[in-house]
Coordinates of all heavy atoms in Angstrom, one line a residue:
N228 N 42.6 -36.2 -52.7 CA 41.2 -36.5 -52.6 C 40.4 -35.8 -53.7 O 41.1 -34.9 -54.4 CB 40.5 -36.3 -51.2 CG 40.6 -34.9 -50.9 OD1 40.3 -33.9 -51.6 ND2 41.0 -34.6 -49.6
W229 N 39.2 -36.1 -54.0 CA 38.6 -35.4 -55.1 C 38.4 -34.0 -55.0 O 38.5 -33.3 -56.0 CB 37.2 -36.1 -55.4 CG 37.3 -37.6 -55.9 CD1 37.2 -38.7 -55.3 CD2 37.9 -37.9 -57.2 NE1 37.5 -39.8 -56.0 CE2 37.9 -39.2 -57.3 CE3 38.2 -37.1 -58.3 CZ2 38.4 -39.9 -58.4 CZ3 38.6 -37.8 -59.4 CH2 38.7 -39.1 -59.5
L230 N 38.2 -33.5 -53.8 CA 38.1 -32.0 -53.6 C 39.5 -31.4 -53.9 O 39.5 -30.3 -54.6 CB 37.8 -31.7 -52.1 CG 37.5 -30.3 -51.7 CD1 36.4 -29.8 -52.7 CD2 37.1 -30.2 -50.4
R231 N 40.6 -32.0 -53.4 CA 41.9 -31.3 -53.8 C 42.2 -31.4 -55.2 O 42.8 -30.5 -55.8 CB 43.0 -32.0 -52.9 CG 42.9 -31.6 -51.5 CD 44.0 -32.3 -50.7 NE 45.2 -31.9 -51.2 CZ 46.3 -31.6 -50.5 NH1 46.3 -31.9 -49.2 NH2 47.4 -31.2 -51.2
I232 N 42.0 -32.6 -55.8 CA 42.2 -32.8 -57.3 C 41.3 -31.8 -58.1 O 41.8 -31.1 -59.0 CB 41.9 -34.2 -57.7 CG1 43.0 -35.1 -57.0 CG2 41.9 -34.3 -59.2 CD1 42.7 -36.6 -57.1
G233 N 40.1 -31.7 -57.7 CA 39.2 -30.7 -58.5 C 39.6 -29.4 -58.3 O 39.6 -28.5 -59.2
G234 N 40.0 -28.9 -57.0 CA 40.6 -27.7 -56.8 C 41.8 -27.3 -57.6 O 41.9 -26.1 -58.1
A235 N 42.7 -28.4 -57.7 CA 43.9 -28.1 -58.5 C 43.6 -27.9 -60.0 O 44.2 -27.1 -60.6 CB 44.9 -29.2 -58.3
A236 N 42.6 -28.7 -60.5 CA 42.1 -28.5 -61.9 C 41.6 -27.1 -62.1 O 41.9 -26.4 -63.0 CB 41.2 -29.6 -62.3
L237 N 40.7 -26.7 -61.2 CA 40.2 -25.4 -61.3 C 41.2 -24.3 -61.1 O 41.3 -23.3 -61.9 CB 39.1 -25.2 -60.2 CG 38.4 -23.8 -60.1 CD1 37.7 -23.6 -61.4 CD2 37.4 -23.8 -58.9
A238 N 42.2 -24.5 -60.3 CA 43.3 -23.5 -60.2 C 44.2 -23.4 -61.4 O 44.5 -22.3 -61.8 CB 44.1 -23.7 -58.9
S239 N 44.3 -24.6 -62.1 CA 45.0 -24.7 -63.3 C 44.3 -23.9 -64.4 O 44.9 -23.0 -65.1 CB 45.2 -26.1 -63.7 OG 45.9 -26.8 -62.9
S240 N 43.0 -24.0 -64.5 CA 42.3 -23.3 -65.5 C 42.3 -21.8 -65.3 O 42.5 -21.0 -66.2 CB 40.7 -23.8 -65.5 OG 40.6 -25.1 -65.8
I241 N 42.0 -21.4 -64.1 CA 41.9 -20.0 -63.8 C 43.3 -19.3 -63.9 O 43.4 -18.2 -64.5 CB 41.4 -19.7 -62.3 CG1 39.9 -20.0 -62.3 CG2 41.5 -18.2 -61.9 CD1 39.4 -20.2 -60.9
S242 N 44.4 -20.1 -63.4 CA 45.7 -19.4 -63.6 C 46.2 -19.3 -65.0 O 46.8 -18.3 -65.4 CB 46.7 -20.2 -62.7 OG 46.8 -21.5 -63.2
F243 N 45.8 -20.3 -65.8 CA 46.1 -20.2 -67.3 C 45.4 -19.0 -67.9 O 46.1 -18.2 -68.6 CB 45.9 -21.5 -68.0 CG 46.3 -21.4 -69.4 CD1 47.8 -21.6 -69.7 CD2 45.5 -21.2 -70.4 CE1 48.1 -21.5 -71.0 CE2 45.8 -21.2 -71.8 CZ 47.2 -21.4 -72.1
F244 N 44.1 -18.9 -67.6 CA 43.4 -17.7 -68.2 C 44.0 -16.4 -67.8 O 44.3 -15.5 -68.7 CB 42.0 -17.8 -67.7 CG 41.1 -16.7 -68.1 CD1 40.6 -16.6 -69.5 CD2 40.8 -15.7 -67.3 CE1 39.9 -15.4 -69.9 CE2 40.0 -14.6 -67.7 CZ 39.5 -14.5 -69.0
V245 N 44.3 -16.3 -66.6 CA 44.9 -15.0 -66.1 C 46.2 -14.7 -66.6 O 46.5 -13.6 -67.2 CB 44.9 -14.9 -64.5 CG1 45.7 -13.8 -63.9 CG2 43.4 -15.0 -63.9
V246 N 47.2 -15.6 -66.6 CA 48.6 -15.2 -67.0 C 48.7 -15.3 -68.5 O 49.4 -14.4 -69.0 CB 49.6 -16.3 -66.3 CG1 49.5 -16.2 -64.8 CG2 49.5 -17.7 -66.8
S247 N 48.0 -16.2 -69.2 CA 48.3 -16.1 -70.7 C 47.5 -14.9 -71.3 O 48.1 -14.3 -72.2 CB 47.7 -17.5 -71.3 OG 46.3 -17.6 -71.1
N248 N 46.3 -14.5 -70.8 CA 45.8 -13.4 -71.4 C 46.5 -12.1 -71.0 O 46.6 -11.2 -71.8 CB 44.3 -13.2 -70.9 CG 43.4 -14.2 -71.8 OD1 43.1 -13.9 -72.9 ND2 43.0 -15.3 -71.2
F249 N 47.1 -12.0 -69.8 CA 47.8 -10.9 -69.4 C 49.1 -10.8 -70.4 O 49.4 -9.8 -70.7 CB 48.3 -11.0 -67.9 CG 49.1 -9.8 -67.5 CD1 48.4 -8.7 -67.1 CD2 50.5 -9.8 -67.6 CE1 49.1 -7.5 -66.7 CE2 51.3 -8.7 -67.2 CZ 50.6 -7.6 -66.8
A250 N 49.7 -12.0 -70.6 CA 50.9 -12.0 -71.5 C 50.5 -11.6 -72.8 O 51.3 -10.8 -73.5 CB 51.5 -13.4 -71.5
V251 N 49.4 -12.0 -73.4 CA 49.0 -11.5 -74.8 C 48.8 -10.0 -74.7 O 49.3 -9.4 -75.6 CB 47.6 -12.2 -75.2 CG1 47.0 -11.6 -76.3 CG2 47.9 -13.7 -75.5
W252 N 48.2 -9.5 -73.8 CA 47.9 -8.2 -73.6 C 49.3 -7.3 -73.5 O 49.5 -6.4 -74.2 CB 47.1 -7.8 -72.5 CG 47.0 -6.3 -72.2 CD1 46.2 -5.4 -72.7 CD2 47.7 -5.6 -71.1 NE1 46.4 -4.1 -72.3 CE2 47.2 -4.2 -71.2 CE3 48.5 -6.0 -70.1 CZ2 47.7 -3.3 -70.3 CZ3 49.0 -5.1 -69.2 CH2 48.6 -3.7 -69.3
A253 N 50.1 -7.8 -72.7 CA 51.4 -7.1 -72.4 C 52.4 -7.2 -73.6 O 53.1 -6.3 -73.9 CB 52.0 -7.7 -71.2
S254 N 52.3 -8.3 -74.3 CA 53.4 -8.5 -75.3 C 52.9 -8.1 -76.8 O 53.7 -7.9 -77.6 CB 53.9 -9.9 -75.4 OG 52.7 -10.8 -76.0
G255 N 51.7 -8.0 -77.0 CA 51.2 -7.8 -78.3 C 50.6 -6.4 -78.6 O 50.8 -5.5 -77.8
S256 N 50.2 -6.3 -79.8 CA 49.6 -4.9 -80.2 C 48.1 -4.9 -80.4 O 47.5 -4.0 -81.0 CB 50.3 -4.4 -81.4 OG 50.3 -5.3 -82.5
M257 N 47.5 -6.1 -80.1 CA 46.1 -6.2 -80.4 C 45.2 -5.4 -79.5 O 44.1 -4.9 -79.9 CB 45.6 -7.6 -80.1 CG 45.7 -8.6 -81.3 SD 45.4 -10.2 -81.0 CE 43.6 -10.2 -80.7

C-alpha cells in the first residue's frame, strides 16, 4: 500500500545515507 511503499523508499534513502557515508569515513583519508 502507499504507506508501506513510501516507508520502504524512506528506509532506502536513510539506509543509503548511513551506510555509504560510514563506508566513506571508514575507508578513506578525507
